[in-house]
């Protein structure tokens, strides 16, 4: 991410990952949505890794 990134972006992405992980662990997700949510989780994780690499 760039230096112009909203300072709350990382916090929001990490919070989204926590919510996704909790929903998956609790079995609150339908199997039809599990693959899509896994892709979202992977994307958010990739963005965070890029963000951490730019610091």
């Amino acid at each position: 991410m760039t230096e112009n990134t909203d300072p709350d972006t990382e916090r929001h992405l990490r919070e989204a990952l926590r919510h996704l992980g909790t929903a998956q662990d609790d079995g609150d997700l339908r199997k039809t949505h599990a693959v899509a949510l896994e892709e979202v989780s992977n994307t958010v994780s990739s963005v965070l890794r890029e963000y951490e690499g730019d610091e």
Side-chain angles (χ1 to χ4, degrees), residues 1-26:
M1 290 190 195
T2 67
E3 291 180 21
N4 296 332
T5 302
D6 179 358
D8 292 328
T9 300
E10 182 179 5
R11 182 177 56 83
H12 289 300
L13 290 172
R14 290 190 187 282
E15 185 175 331
L17 281 176
R18 278 193 301 275
H19 287 299
L20 285 171
T22 299
Q24 287 174 325
D25 291 344
D26 292 345

Side-chain angles (χ1 to χ4, degrees), residues 12-49:
H12 289 300
L13 290 172
R14 290 190 187 282
E15 185 175 331
L17 281 176
R18 278 193 301 275
H19 287 299
L20 285 171
T22 299
Q24 287 174 325
D25 291 344
D26 292 345
D28 290 343
L29 305 174
R30 291 182 173 182
K31 286 186 179 185
T32 55
H33 299 295
V35 172
L37 289 172
E38 184 175 344
E39 289 180 16
V40 170
S41 179
N42 290 342
T43 301
V44 170
S45 294
S46 295
V47 170
L48 281 171
R49 280 193 300 274

